[in-house]
Amino acid sequence: MTEQRFIVALAYQAGYSPQILTGQDGRIDYVSAAELEKAAHSFARNGMGGGAFHVAGTDAEFEPTESWIHRGPDWTVTAPDGSVTVVKAGDWLVGGYLSPAAWEMYKRGKITGLSPQGAGRRVTTRRV
Amino acid sequence: MAEPTEDADDVGELADLDIKTVHAVGKAANGTTILLAKSAAAADQAGLFGADYVRDLIAKGADGEPPAPEDEKLTPAQAMALVHAASVRKASPPEVTAAKADGTDPGSPMWEGQDATAAQTLIDQILAVLPGVKALAQREGAEVGAGHMDDLADVCDLNSVADALMCAAKTLGGFAVSEHAESGGPVIKALQAPNTSAADATPTTQESTVTSPSDGAQPGAATTDTAAVAKGDAGLSETELAQYGRLALAKAAAKAAKKKAKASGAAAPDDARLIPGTQTVQAPAQGPDDVMKAQATQFVDAVSQAMAPLAKQLGELAGVVKGQGERVDTLMAGPDDRKSPLLNGAIGVPSLAQRGDGPTATPEFRAVLKAIEEIPEGPAREQAQKGVALAALKARFAPGS
């Protein structure tokens, strides 16, 4: 049976979420819904490139083919790994095809999600 | 939206993002995982009709009448009749292309059935060869018993061949079962399957463990709670094959243990190869080379453990030496002005010290010093220096000086 190797995942959620983890730069960054929509649009304008593990030269490992901002009501999804994610309005989702090698890594749990790569500006630091 | 509660220095809001790429990663910073993953091709998804097929069904009337033109207005009754006719048509079984019945269509039931039959034939052939190999092993064993110890390796080799044959038969058994299932044949699988893992495991010559035949299970005597992945109505079941394998390996293990004991002159107990507390017999895979390797490994481990404190101490000493070396380098890098407090006035050349404007600064004293320096090095010069030095000190600290 031919495998499609197509995945859909949350690229980033709108607003702060306790789910957000520390990034590679050691910081926890969140994006407002408006800025996230602009970020998703910049991704489309830049050609919707893909890659794996933020390593140069891996653009063939993941080929994004869909990118959209969720507009509807809350969408509760039970992921293939059993975890439950609630996609909210304003969240940015990306779908695309993994290479055969990346698909094998997904099936072995080595690839579990998507992560945008680009440049931005930190505007505030909330103090609590 | 919840407010950030993390450490203030670690949480920030991003803006003006310019995203170039999106990467598949092991752990996304957004904290979520892949939501959907489609592995099966759309054409392979069972239970779905193709779009063209559905359009064709809708287009056809129940009695074969052509559909009404689009511009023709239908009464509600006519529309309902068409919809009903379409649904009736849809409910009829779809026409499918039957697989070729001659077994030339790869993946067809007949094709799979042929594979299952071929695999079963191979299993029978392998099992037919097995007794001959065992007989050879016994004959070689008899030679060893007669004192030809050089034939011991042949016995081991033949037992390995027997093990490999059993492994091949078991593997082929599993293949035959799956092919038989794909061919549409009946496959019975019990809910409880004790020893299934042992049966499924492919034993190797180095790490195989087999169950003692003392549990009473015999080939062909599978009970209802035994893993019974039956191969239809003929041939050996996978359970039977597994039991054949266990029996053969257990016999080989027991035989090897006895021969080893006999060769060493000691009477080993019957359960010498049993793993304590189990009915599992160790395979005769540990030859002299393996024992030597195990002993070498144990020796290396013991030496490593014994050397651990010494290595730690050596590491600490190396650190001290390195620190002292750095201190020396630092001192050597300092200015050599000979006036450093560290030198305390010494200049490295043995002579009388020159101290300020005291008596030692007079022309007469300098003349005396010059005369002393002209004396060849030796006891006489040292004696003269000591005398002058004592005189200089007396003059320096004499009352009224």
Side-chain angles (χ1 to χ4, degrees):
Chain A
M1 182 177 67
T2 304
E3 292 180 316
Q4 286 197 338
R5 309 191 303 271
F6 180 80
I7 63 167
V8 171
L10 203 69
Y12 224 80
Q13 52 269 78
Y16 178 80
S17 167
Q19 280 185 301
I20 298 176
L21 305 174
T22 302
Q24 285 190 347
D25 58 357
R27 298 181 63 102
I28 297 172
D29 293 314
Y30 67 98
V31 187
S32 67
E35 289 294 333
L36 188 63
E37 184 175 277
K38 290 196 291 185
H41 293 172
S42 74
F43 172 62
R45 290 195 184 98
N46 288 327
M48 291 177 55
F53 300 103
H54 296 293
V55 175
T58 58
D59 50 336
E61 303 305 321
F62 176 58
E63 179 194 12
T65 54
E66 299 178 23
S67 172
W68 73 98
I69 299 292
H70 182 63
R71 311 286 182 184
D74 288 358
W75 175 33
T76 303
V77 189
T78 301
D81 66 352
S83 63
V84 176
T85 301
V86 179
V87 180
K88 295 180 174 295
D91 289 352
W92 175 23
L93 295 108
V94 168
Y97 290 88
L98 293 171
S99 70
W103 179 254
E104 286 301 317
M105 296 186 73
Y106 159 70
K107 290 198 290 187
R108 284 186 286 154
K110 303 298 182 185
I111 287 177
T112 66
L114 296 179
S115 174
Q117 177 174 313
R121 181 170 59 90
R122 279 195 181 87
V123 290
T124 60
T125 298
R126 300 287 182 92
R127 290 191 173 276
V128 179
Chain B
M1 181 180 73
E3 291 298 316
T5 56
E6 304 290 340
D7 185 358
D9 293 336
D10 294 334
V11 180
E13 181 178 352
L14 297 178
D16 299 336
L17 289 167
D18 184 29
I19 304 299
K20 304 288 187 185
T21 55
V22 170
H23 286 245
V25 295
K27 194 169 187 178
N30 58 40
T32 64
T33 59
I34 290 171
L35 304 177
L36 301 173
K38 293 170 69 176
S39 59
D44 296 333
Q45 292 178 356
L48 293 180
F49 293 140
D52 292 336
Y53 177 70
V54 173
R55 291 192 192 98
D56 186 48
L57 285 179
I58 294 173
K60 291 179 180 176
D63 51 0
E65 294 178 353
E70 291 182 358
D71 56 351
E72 181 178 342
K73 294 183 179 178
L74 297 175
T75 64
Q78 288 174 324
M80 285 299 296
L82 282 176
V83 171
H84 176 70
S87 64
V88 169
R89 186 73 175 183
K90 185 177 177 181
S92 63
E95 295 178 2
V96 294
T97 303
K100 295 177 183 176
D102 56 359
T104 59
D105 186 15
S108 66
M110 183 170 286
W111 177 285
E112 303 291 357
Q114 288 174 349
D115 290 347
T117 304
Q120 181 57 48
T121 304
L122 288 175
I123 292 170
D124 294 340
Q125 291 172 348
I126 290 171
L127 293 178
V129 169
L130 199 55
V133 175
K134 289 182 176 177
L136 279 176
Q138 288 179 347
R139 288 177 61 83
E140 291 301 306
E143 292 180 34
V144 173
H148 299 280
M149 298 305 295
D150 53 340
D151 290 325
L152 187 58
D154 294 336
V155 175
C156 294
D157 289 343
L158 289 168
N159 283 330
S160 297
V161 170
D163 292 345
L165 287 172
M166 281 308 303
C167 178
K170 288 169 62 180
T171 307
L172 277 171
F175 169 75
V177 169
S178 64
E179 292 298 289
H180 189 72
E182 291 177 2
S183 71
V187 175
I188 305 166
K189 186 167 187 177
L191 292 177
Q192 292 182 342
N195 299 328
T196 299
S197 58
D200 292 341
T202 303
T204 65
T205 54
Q206 292 299 318
E207 57 184 11
S208 63
T209 57
V210 294
T211 302
S212 170
S214 61
D215 57 2
Q218 295 295 328
T223 55
T224 54
D225 61 344
T226 307
V229 184
K231 227 190 95 348
D233 53 355
L236 293 169
S237 70
E238 198 174 38
T239 304
E240 291 168 342
L241 285 173
Q243 288 171 351
Y244 270 126
R246 285 195 291 271
L247 276 175
L249 291 172
K251 286 179 181 176
K255 191 181 294 181
K258 286 182 180 177
K259 286 180 180 175
K260 185 178 179 182
K262 187 176 180 181
S264 62
D270 290 338
D271 58 350
R273 306 287 292 180
L274 284 178
I275 296 174
T278 70
Q279 291 297 313
T280 302
V281 180
Q282 295 180 3
Q286 280 199 330
D289 291 344
D290 296 326
V291 173
M292 287 183 64
K293 288 178 182 175
Q295 289 175 343
T297 304
Q298 290 176 355
F299 176 74
V300 170
D301 291 342
V303 170
S304 300
Q305 290 179 358
M307 292 291 288
L310 187 57
K312 182 181 179 183
Q313 194 173 0
L314 281 173
E316 293 172 354
L317 286 173
V320 171
V321 169
K322 184 180 178 183
Q324 295 292 351
E326 290 174 350
R327 289 186 63 185
V328 170
D329 291 341
T330 303
L331 292 173
M332 293 297 289
D336 188 13
D337 57 0
R338 302 294 180 183
K339 293 178 181 175
S340 169
L342 295 175
L343 295 173
N344 199 23
I347 58 173
V349 179
S351 64
L352 292 171
Q354 307 288 326
R355 297 183 186 279
D357 298 331
T360 58
T362 60
E364 294 80 5
F365 190 77
R366 288 179 180 169
V368 172
L369 290 178
K370 188 175 181 181
I372 292 175
E373 288 175 357
E374 291 176 353
I375 300 173
E377 290 188 3
R381 183 175 176 178
E382 291 180 2
Q383 189 67 28
Q385 283 180 333
K386 288 180 181 177
V388 172
L390 184 60
L393 288 172
K394 287 180 178 176
R396 184 179 183 87
F397 297 104
S401 61

